């Protein structure tokens, strides 16, 4: 039996809807396997700005600091492309958590369920055997150029010689590269033993350094095969031969874009979980932040239409990486697959002959099957 403290930060839009399902699943695991989870809940994002004056209050931050794991929903109001300068910045909650807790490695598993291959825009024969994990660097790169003091500060737009110009800085230190590359090799050692390191070394100095570090770290892992791949080639091969990949490690922005592309292998961004990890240890593993890859999806918020799978699988990652409960994590993953195999789908992955269910019902189906597992 395990005891753990989990802080749940549902956030905005569909965040609370999908997080509620993930929490239901954690409660079912607690009951079914005899653990004790103390759960705290906190505000982040727009509600926190409105009622507590910042995207994450000091009190909520301290509650997080005293937890073994954080279960996060999503923050943000409008689609990212429509945001205006000077508006509220709900995403600062996430930036602060990532920065102050040192979450530098973002794990994003992509494993389309065979029963739902039809939800993908790729042909089923292309998907067969697809099972990969992205390890995205999360604490540096373009996202943090010019942001040393204010994480999330937008890039600098300035006037020079009568023209308007903008600048972003892509900076990586050797240490920042090495620690995330080591995580990738460790993950690969526990899987099929192959790392694909993705960069743009034909253009970017930071990528040249990235390659040097990967070559050096690889020498410490003779049992793991590795290759370098340019990011443009990787974008192409992800949809041509996705099953060739095992572990993909890459810098922050490339990882952001490639994982959205890879989410389409499963048919919807609503299917993908993530784990953000640093170095702080818990009794069962590493302190981490777990969240679906998607955003607050304001276009479908409040309609019981969000796919909860990404959030529920994030809870499975939480059980595995922060609480050391591998059997329970695998049971949650298997149960999600069973529900999909039995023909239930959220609207984003629906296909002919399947039963479309809402967010709540999808969560209930997972919980019922989990509780009934032998
Ligand atoms: P989004 O991921 O919220 O939505 C993109 C598309 O995917 C939308 O059509 C949406 O309906 C769909 N979608 C997303 N999640 C889904 C789910 N669970 N089930 C079914 N469909 C789903 O991205 P966006 O529209 O660009 O951004 C909306 C807001 O979310 C913005 O404010 C953005 O900044 C924020 N955002 C937050 C995070 C985060 O909190 N980690 C990540 C990305 C975007």
């Amino acid at each position: 039996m395990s005891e753990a403290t989990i802080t749940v930060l549902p956030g905005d839009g569909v965040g609370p809807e999908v997080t509620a399902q993930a929490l239901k699943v954690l409660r079912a695991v607690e009951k079914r396997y005899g653990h004790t989870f103390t759960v705290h809940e906190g505000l982040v994002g727009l509600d926190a700005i409105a009622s507590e004056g910042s995207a994450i209050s000091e009190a909520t931050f301290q509650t997080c600091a005293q937890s073994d794991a954080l279960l996060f929903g999503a923050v943000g109001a409008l689609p990212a492309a429509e945001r205006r300068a000077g508006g509220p910045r709900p995403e600062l909650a996430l930036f602060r958590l990532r920065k102050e807790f040192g979450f530098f490695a973002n794990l994003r598993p992509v494993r389309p369920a065979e029963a739902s291959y039809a939800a993908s825009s790729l042909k089923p024969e292309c998907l067969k055997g697809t099972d990969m994990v992205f390890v995205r660097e999360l604490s540096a790169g373009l996202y943090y150029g010019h942001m040393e003091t204010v994480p999330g500060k937008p890039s600098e737009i300035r006037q020079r010689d009568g023209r308007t110009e903008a600048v972003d800085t892509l900076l990586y230190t050797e240490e920042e590269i090495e620690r995330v590359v080591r995580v990738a090799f460790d993950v690969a050692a526990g899987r099929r033993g192959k790392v694909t390191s993705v960069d743009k070394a034909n253009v970017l100095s930071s990528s040249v350094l990235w390659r040097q570090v990967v070559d050096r770290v690889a020498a410490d892992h003779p049992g793991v095969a590795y290759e370098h791949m340019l990011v443009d080639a990787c974008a192409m091969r992800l949809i041509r031969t996705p099953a060739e990949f095992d572990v993909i490690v890459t810098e922050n922005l490339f990882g952001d874009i490639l994982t959205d592309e890879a989410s389409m292998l499963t048919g919807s961004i609503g299917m993908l979980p993530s784990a953000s990890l640093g170095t702080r240890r818990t009794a069962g593993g590493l302190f981490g932040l777990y969240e679906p890859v998607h955003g607050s999806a304001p276009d479908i918020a409040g309609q019981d239409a969000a796919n909860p799978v990404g959030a529920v699988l994030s809870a499975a990652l939480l059980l595995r990486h922060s609480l050391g409960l591998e059997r329970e994590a695998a049971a949650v993953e298997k149960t999600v697959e069973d529900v999909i195999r039995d023909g239930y789908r959220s609207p984003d992955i629906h296909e002919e002959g399947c039963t479309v269910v809402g967010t709540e019902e999808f969560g209930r189906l997972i919980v019922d099957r989990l509780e009934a597992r032998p």
Side-chain angles (χ1 to χ4, degrees):
M1 124 127 190
S2 268
E3 287 186 13
T5 303
I6 300 166
T7 297
V8 181
L9 304 165
D12 304 319
V14 300
E17 300 172 48
V18 296
T19 309
Q21 310 319 309
L23 184 55
K24 266 183 355 200
V25 168
L26 286 175
R27 288 298 193 198
V29 166
E30 183 183 30
K31 198 164 108 195
R32 167 74 183 69
Y33 295 92
H35 303 302
T36 307
F37 300 153
T38 303
V39 175
H40 301 294
E41 203 160 310
L43 292 180
V44 285
L46 294 167
D47 283 351
I49 293 171
S51 61
E52 297 174 347
S54 70
I56 180 165
S57 70
E58 197 48 41
T60 303
F61 185 80
Q62 289 311 327
T63 304
C64 293
Q66 282 148 32
S67 307
D68 296 298
L70 313 176
L71 182 67
F72 195 93
V75 287
L78 297 165
E82 292 174 30
R83 281 185 302 150
R84 307 263 178 279
R89 305 287 312 279
E91 69 280 12
L92 290 183
L94 205 45
F95 279 118
R96 179 167 183 205
L97 291 167
R98 286 176 180 170
K99 193 81 186 166
E100 294 202 27
F101 291 135
F103 295 136
F104 63 85
N106 184 225
L107 273 52
R108 297 182 165 190
V110 182
R111 192 178 55 194
E114 201 159 339
S116 64
Y117 277 178
S120 168
S121 36
L122 290 199
K123 295 180 206 125
E125 58 266 33
C126 294
L127 292 169
K128 207 158 181 47
T130 297
D131 178 359
M132 68 184 97
V133 177
F134 278 86
V135 180
R136 169 190 169 192
E137 201 292 320
L138 202 60
S139 66
L142 283 167
Y143 289 66
Y144 291 92
H146 292 286
M147 293 180 192
E148 284 77 14
T149 52
V150 189
K153 180 171 172 270
S155 57
E156 184 187 324
I157 299 177
R158 65 190 182 197
Q159 303 299 317
R160 202 166 65 159
D161 300 332
R163 283 193 309 212
T164 305
E165 63 179 22
V167 60
D168 298 286
T169 309
L170 175 45
L171 176 79
Y172 268 104
T173 66
E174 197 173 10
E175 291 71 25
E176 285 164 344
I177 300 169
E178 179 164 344
R179 62 188 183 177
V180 74
V181 169
R182 287 201 180 278
V183 170
F185 274 84
D186 287 346
V187 171
R191 289 176 44 97
R192 300 198 304 278
K194 181 182 170 194
V195 169
T196 302
S197 171
V198 174
D199 63 45
K200 190 71 181 164
N202 53 341
V203 177
L204 302 173
S205 311
S206 55
S207 289
V208 173
L209 178 61
W210 185 282
R211 278 196 183 203
Q212 289 172 5
V213 174
V214 171
D215 289 338
R216 183 160 54 72
V217 171
D220 298 337
H221 295 82
V224 175
Y226 80 106
E227 63 184 344
H228 298 289
M229 191 177 286
L230 293 176
V231 63
D232 37 350
C234 182
M236 185 188 69
R237 291 170 77 142
L238 269 177
I239 53 168
R240 198 184 65 176
T241 48
E244 76 174 84
F245 295 104
D246 180 17
V247 174
I248 297 179
V249 62
T250 190
E251 66 92 42
N252 207 339
L253 181 65
F254 296 160
D256 188 12
I257 298 169
L258 291 176
T259 51
D260 263 33
E261 182 193 357
S263 75
M264 287 301 111
L265 302 171
T266 68
S268 170
I269 196 164
M271 298 288 286
L272 252 53
S274 81
S276 299
L277 304 171
T279 53
R280 191 178 119 193
R281 298 209 64 81
T282 59
L286 289 171
F287 177 52
L289 181 147
Y290 300 86
E291 55 168 336
V293 165
H294 63 78
S296 58
D299 53 335
I300 57 166
Q303 298 170 25
D304 193 37
N307 185 338
V309 168
V312 170
L313 294 179
S314 299
L317 295 179
L318 182 157
L319 292 166
R320 175 174 294 126
H321 294 291
S322 286
L323 310 193
L325 300 175
E326 175 57 39
R327 179 182 55 147
E328 289 79 345
V332 171
E333 289 164 348
K334 175 76 174 62
T335 306
V336 169
E337 266 180 49
D338 289 350
V339 171
I340 292 173
R341 193 204 51 224
D342 290 349
Y344 296 101
R345 302 284 188 278
S346 48
D348 54 325
I349 52 166
H350 84 275
E351 57 190 278
E352 221 170 293
C354 287
T355 309
V356 177
V357 292
T359 313
E360 276 277 335
E361 176 70 358
F362 209 135
R364 193 188 60 74
L365 287 162
I366 297 167
V367 166
D368 286 353
R369 275 171 176 67
L370 196 57
E371 285 177 345
R373 281 183 80 81

Short mmCIF file of all heavy atoms in Angstrom, two decimals, residues 14 18 72-81 83 94 98 268-270 291-300 305-308 348, ligand 1:
data_model
loop_
_atom_site.label_atom_id
_atom_site.label_comp_id
_atom_site.label_asym_id
_atom_site.label_seq_id
_atom_site.Cartn_x
_atom_site.Cartn_y
_atom_site.Cartn_z
N VAL A 14 -11.68 23.03 -21.23
CA VAL A 14 -11.97 21.61 -20.99
C VAL A 14 -11.09 21.03 -19.88
O VAL A 14 -11.28 19.87 -19.49
CB VAL A 14 -11.81 20.76 -22.28
CG1 VAL A 14 -12.76 21.22 -23.37
CG2 VAL A 14 -10.36 20.74 -22.76
N VAL A 18 -11.79 17.21 -18.28
CA VAL A 18 -10.97 16.00 -18.47
C VAL A 18 -10.24 15.61 -17.17
O VAL A 18 -10.06 14.43 -16.88
CB VAL A 18 -9.96 16.15 -19.64
CG1 VAL A 18 -10.70 16.31 -20.95
CG2 VAL A 18 -8.98 17.30 -19.43
N PHE A 72 -2.44 18.24 -13.93
CA PHE A 72 -2.78 19.55 -14.50
C PHE A 72 -3.76 19.35 -15.66
O PHE A 72 -3.65 18.37 -16.40
CB PHE A 72 -1.47 20.18 -15.01
CG PHE A 72 -1.53 21.64 -15.32
CD1 PHE A 72 -1.18 22.60 -14.37
CD2 PHE A 72 -1.93 22.08 -16.57
CE1 PHE A 72 -1.23 23.96 -14.66
CE2 PHE A 72 -1.98 23.44 -16.88
CZ PHE A 72 -1.62 24.38 -15.92
N GLY A 73 -4.69 20.29 -15.82
CA GLY A 73 -5.62 20.22 -16.95
C GLY A 73 -5.08 21.00 -18.13
O GLY A 73 -4.29 20.51 -18.93
N ALA A 74 -5.50 22.23 -18.24
CA ALA A 74 -5.00 23.11 -19.32
C ALA A 74 -5.31 24.54 -18.91
O ALA A 74 -6.24 24.78 -18.12
CB ALA A 74 -5.67 22.79 -20.64
N VAL A 75 -4.57 25.49 -19.45
CA VAL A 75 -4.87 26.90 -19.21
C VAL A 75 -4.94 27.66 -20.53
O VAL A 75 -4.30 27.28 -21.51
CB VAL A 75 -3.83 27.58 -18.28
CG1 VAL A 75 -4.00 27.12 -16.84
CG2 VAL A 75 -2.41 27.33 -18.76
N GLY A 76 -5.73 28.72 -20.52
CA GLY A 76 -5.84 29.54 -21.74
C GLY A 76 -7.30 29.75 -22.10
O GLY A 76 -8.14 28.89 -21.83
N ALA A 77 -7.56 30.90 -22.73
CA ALA A 77 -8.94 31.23 -23.07
C ALA A 77 -9.22 31.04 -24.54
O ALA A 77 -9.99 30.18 -24.96
CB ALA A 77 -9.24 32.67 -22.67
N LEU A 78 -8.55 31.81 -25.34
CA LEU A 78 -8.80 31.80 -26.79
C LEU A 78 -7.82 30.86 -27.46
O LEU A 78 -6.78 30.54 -26.89
CB LEU A 78 -8.61 33.21 -27.35
CG LEU A 78 -9.58 34.25 -26.81
CD1 LEU A 78 -9.08 35.64 -27.15
CD2 LEU A 78 -10.96 34.03 -27.41
N PRO A 79 -8.12 30.44 -28.70
CA PRO A 79 -7.09 29.72 -29.43
C PRO A 79 -5.80 30.53 -29.44
O PRO A 79 -5.86 31.77 -29.51
CB PRO A 79 -7.67 29.60 -30.84
CG PRO A 79 -9.14 29.70 -30.64
CD PRO A 79 -9.35 30.60 -29.46
N ALA A 80 -4.67 29.84 -29.33
CA ALA A 80 -3.39 30.52 -29.16
C ALA A 80 -3.18 31.62 -30.20
O ALA A 80 -2.68 32.70 -29.90
CB ALA A 80 -2.28 29.50 -29.22
N ALA A 81 -3.59 31.36 -31.43
CA ALA A 81 -3.34 32.31 -32.51
C ALA A 81 -4.12 33.62 -32.35
O ALA A 81 -3.78 34.62 -32.95
CB ALA A 81 -3.70 31.66 -33.84
N ARG A 83 -4.70 35.32 -29.49
CA ARG A 83 -4.43 36.12 -28.29
C ARG A 83 -3.80 37.45 -28.63
O ARG A 83 -3.07 37.59 -29.60
CB ARG A 83 -3.56 35.33 -27.33
CG ARG A 83 -4.41 34.34 -26.58
CD ARG A 83 -3.65 33.64 -25.56
NE ARG A 83 -2.52 32.96 -26.18
CZ ARG A 83 -1.39 32.75 -25.56
NH1 ARG A 83 -1.23 33.16 -24.35
NH2 ARG A 83 -0.42 32.14 -26.17
N LEU A 94 1.76 27.68 -15.78
CA LEU A 94 2.53 26.53 -16.26
C LEU A 94 4.01 26.85 -16.34
O LEU A 94 4.87 26.05 -15.94
CB LEU A 94 1.98 26.15 -17.64
CG LEU A 94 2.15 24.73 -18.12
CD1 LEU A 94 1.80 23.71 -17.07
CD2 LEU A 94 1.27 24.52 -19.36
N ARG A 98 6.90 24.84 -14.29
CA ARG A 98 7.99 24.18 -15.01
C ARG A 98 9.34 24.72 -14.58
O ARG A 98 10.29 23.98 -14.34
CB ARG A 98 7.82 24.40 -16.52
CG ARG A 98 6.71 23.57 -17.12
CD ARG A 98 6.54 23.93 -18.58
NE ARG A 98 5.48 23.15 -19.22
CZ ARG A 98 5.01 23.39 -20.43
NH1 ARG A 98 5.47 24.40 -21.15
NH2 ARG A 98 4.06 22.65 -20.95
N SER A 268 -6.37 12.15 -32.67
CA SER A 268 -6.78 13.38 -31.98
C SER A 268 -5.73 13.79 -30.96
O SER A 268 -5.14 12.93 -30.27
CB SER A 268 -8.10 13.16 -31.25
OG SER A 268 -8.38 14.25 -30.40
N ILE A 269 -5.57 15.08 -30.83
CA ILE A 269 -4.65 15.58 -29.80
C ILE A 269 -5.18 15.26 -28.41
O ILE A 269 -4.43 15.22 -27.44
CB ILE A 269 -4.42 17.10 -29.99
CG1 ILE A 269 -3.20 17.53 -29.20
CG2 ILE A 269 -5.65 17.93 -29.64
CD1 ILE A 269 -2.64 18.88 -29.58
N GLY A 270 -6.48 14.97 -28.32
CA GLY A 270 -7.08 14.62 -27.03
C GLY A 270 -6.62 13.28 -26.49
O GLY A 270 -6.92 12.93 -25.34
N GLU A 291 -0.01 16.14 -17.49
CA GLU A 291 -1.10 16.87 -18.16
C GLU A 291 -1.30 16.31 -19.57
O GLU A 291 -0.35 15.85 -20.20
CB GLU A 291 -0.76 18.36 -18.26
CG GLU A 291 0.57 18.61 -18.93
CD GLU A 291 0.83 20.07 -19.30
OE1 GLU A 291 -0.12 20.84 -19.47
OE2 GLU A 291 2.02 20.42 -19.43
N PRO A 292 -2.54 16.40 -20.06
CA PRO A 292 -2.72 16.04 -21.47
C PRO A 292 -1.97 17.03 -22.33
O PRO A 292 -1.72 18.16 -21.91
CB PRO A 292 -4.24 16.16 -21.66
CG PRO A 292 -4.72 17.06 -20.58
CD PRO A 292 -3.78 16.87 -19.43
N VAL A 293 -1.62 16.61 -23.55
CA VAL A 293 -0.85 17.48 -24.42
C VAL A 293 -1.69 18.65 -24.95
O VAL A 293 -1.17 19.73 -25.23
CB VAL A 293 -0.27 16.63 -25.59
CG1 VAL A 293 0.23 17.49 -26.73
CG2 VAL A 293 0.85 15.73 -25.07
N HIS A 294 -2.99 18.45 -25.00
CA HIS A 294 -3.85 19.50 -25.60
C HIS A 294 -4.00 20.72 -24.71
O HIS A 294 -3.64 20.71 -23.53
CB HIS A 294 -5.23 18.92 -25.94
CG HIS A 294 -6.02 18.45 -24.75
ND1 HIS A 294 -6.69 19.31 -23.92
CD2 HIS A 294 -6.25 17.19 -24.26
CE1 HIS A 294 -7.31 18.61 -22.98
NE2 HIS A 294 -7.05 17.33 -23.16
N GLY A 295 -4.58 21.79 -25.29
CA GLY A 295 -4.85 23.02 -24.54
C GLY A 295 -6.26 23.03 -23.98
O GLY A 295 -6.88 21.96 -23.81
N SER A 296 -6.79 24.23 -23.73
CA SER A 296 -8.08 24.36 -23.05
C SER A 296 -9.26 24.18 -24.00
O SER A 296 -10.41 24.19 -23.56
CB SER A 296 -8.16 25.72 -22.36
OG SER A 296 -8.00 26.75 -23.32
N ALA A 297 -9.00 24.03 -25.29
CA ALA A 297 -10.03 23.75 -26.31
C ALA A 297 -11.31 24.57 -26.08
O ALA A 297 -12.39 24.00 -25.88
CB ALA A 297 -10.33 22.26 -26.34
N PRO A 298 -11.21 25.90 -26.12
CA PRO A 298 -12.41 26.72 -25.82
C PRO A 298 -13.56 26.47 -26.79
O PRO A 298 -14.72 26.66 -26.42
CB PRO A 298 -11.89 28.17 -25.95
CG PRO A 298 -10.55 28.09 -26.58
CD PRO A 298 -10.02 26.72 -26.37
N ASP A 299 -13.25 25.97 -27.98
CA ASP A 299 -14.32 25.72 -28.97
C ASP A 299 -15.26 24.60 -28.56
O ASP A 299 -16.39 24.53 -29.03
CB ASP A 299 -13.71 25.43 -30.37
CG ASP A 299 -12.66 24.32 -30.35
OD1 ASP A 299 -12.04 24.09 -29.30
OD2 ASP A 299 -12.46 23.69 -31.40
N ILE A 300 -14.82 23.70 -27.66
CA ILE A 300 -15.71 22.60 -27.26
C ILE A 300 -15.94 22.58 -25.74
O ILE A 300 -16.57 21.65 -25.21
CB ILE A 300 -15.17 21.22 -27.72
CG1 ILE A 300 -13.74 20.97 -27.18
CG2 ILE A 300 -15.20 21.10 -29.24
CD1 ILE A 300 -13.31 19.51 -27.30
N ALA A 305 -17.83 17.23 -24.51
CA ALA A 305 -17.38 16.64 -25.78
C ALA A 305 -15.88 16.37 -25.81
O ALA A 305 -15.37 15.83 -26.79
CB ALA A 305 -17.75 17.58 -26.93
N ALA A 306 -15.17 16.77 -24.75
CA ALA A 306 -13.71 16.61 -24.77
C ALA A 306 -13.32 15.15 -24.55
O ALA A 306 -13.94 14.44 -23.75
CB ALA A 306 -13.08 17.48 -23.69
N ASN A 307 -12.30 14.74 -25.25
CA ASN A 307 -11.76 13.39 -25.09
C ASN A 307 -10.93 13.36 -23.79
O ASN A 307 -9.95 14.10 -23.66
CB ASN A 307 -10.86 13.10 -26.29
CG ASN A 307 -10.33 11.68 -26.30
OD1 ASN A 307 -10.27 11.03 -25.28
ND2 ASN A 307 -9.94 11.23 -27.49
N PRO A 308 -11.29 12.52 -22.84
CA PRO A 308 -10.54 12.50 -21.56
C PRO A 308 -9.33 11.56 -21.57
O PRO A 308 -8.64 11.45 -20.57
CB PRO A 308 -11.59 11.98 -20.57
CG PRO A 308 -12.44 11.06 -21.39
CD PRO A 308 -12.45 11.58 -22.82
N ASP A 348 -14.36 13.34 -31.08
CA ASP A 348 -13.20 13.64 -31.93
C ASP A 348 -12.62 12.41 -32.63
O ASP A 348 -11.92 12.56 -33.63
CB ASP A 348 -12.09 14.33 -31.09
CG ASP A 348 -11.71 13.50 -29.87
OD1 ASP A 348 -12.61 12.86 -29.28
OD2 ASP A 348 -10.53 13.48 -29.52
P1 LIG B 1 -6.13 23.22 -28.17
O1 LIG B 1 -5.25 22.04 -27.94
O2 LIG B 1 -6.86 23.72 -26.98
O3 LIG B 1 -7.19 22.87 -29.31
C1 LIG B 1 -6.80 22.54 -30.62
C2 LIG B 1 -7.92 21.73 -31.29
O4 LIG B 1 -7.96 20.43 -30.71
C3 LIG B 1 -9.30 22.33 -31.09
O5 LIG B 1 -10.08 22.10 -32.25
C4 LIG B 1 -9.87 21.53 -29.94
O6 LIG B 1 -11.30 21.41 -29.95
C5 LIG B 1 -9.23 20.17 -30.14
N1 LIG B 1 -9.03 19.50 -28.86
C6 LIG B 1 -8.16 19.86 -27.89
N2 LIG B 1 -8.28 19.05 -26.84
C7 LIG B 1 -9.26 18.16 -27.14
C8 LIG B 1 -9.85 17.08 -26.45
N3 LIG B 1 -9.46 16.70 -25.21
N4 LIG B 1 -10.83 16.39 -27.07
C9 LIG B 1 -11.24 16.72 -28.29
N5 LIG B 1 -10.71 17.74 -29.01
C10 LIG B 1 -9.73 18.45 -28.43
O7 LIG B 1 -5.22 24.37 -28.81
P2 LIG B 1 -5.57 25.92 -29.17
O8 LIG B 1 -6.99 25.99 -29.63
O9 LIG B 1 -4.50 26.41 -30.02
O10 LIG B 1 -5.43 26.68 -27.80
C11 LIG B 1 -6.52 26.96 -26.91
C12 LIG B 1 -5.96 27.58 -25.64
O11 LIG B 1 -5.23 26.57 -24.93
C13 LIG B 1 -4.99 28.75 -25.88
O12 LIG B 1 -5.23 29.73 -24.91
C14 LIG B 1 -3.62 28.11 -25.70
O13 LIG B 1 -2.67 29.03 -25.27
C15 LIG B 1 -3.93 27.10 -24.63
N6 LIG B 1 -3.00 25.95 -24.57
C16 LIG B 1 -2.71 25.51 -23.34
C17 LIG B 1 -1.89 24.41 -23.18
C18 LIG B 1 -1.61 23.93 -21.79
O14 LIG B 1 -2.28 24.33 -20.86
N7 LIG B 1 -0.66 23.04 -21.60
C19 LIG B 1 -1.37 23.76 -24.30
C20 LIG B 1 -1.73 24.22 -25.58
C21 LIG B 1 -2.55 25.33 -25.70
#
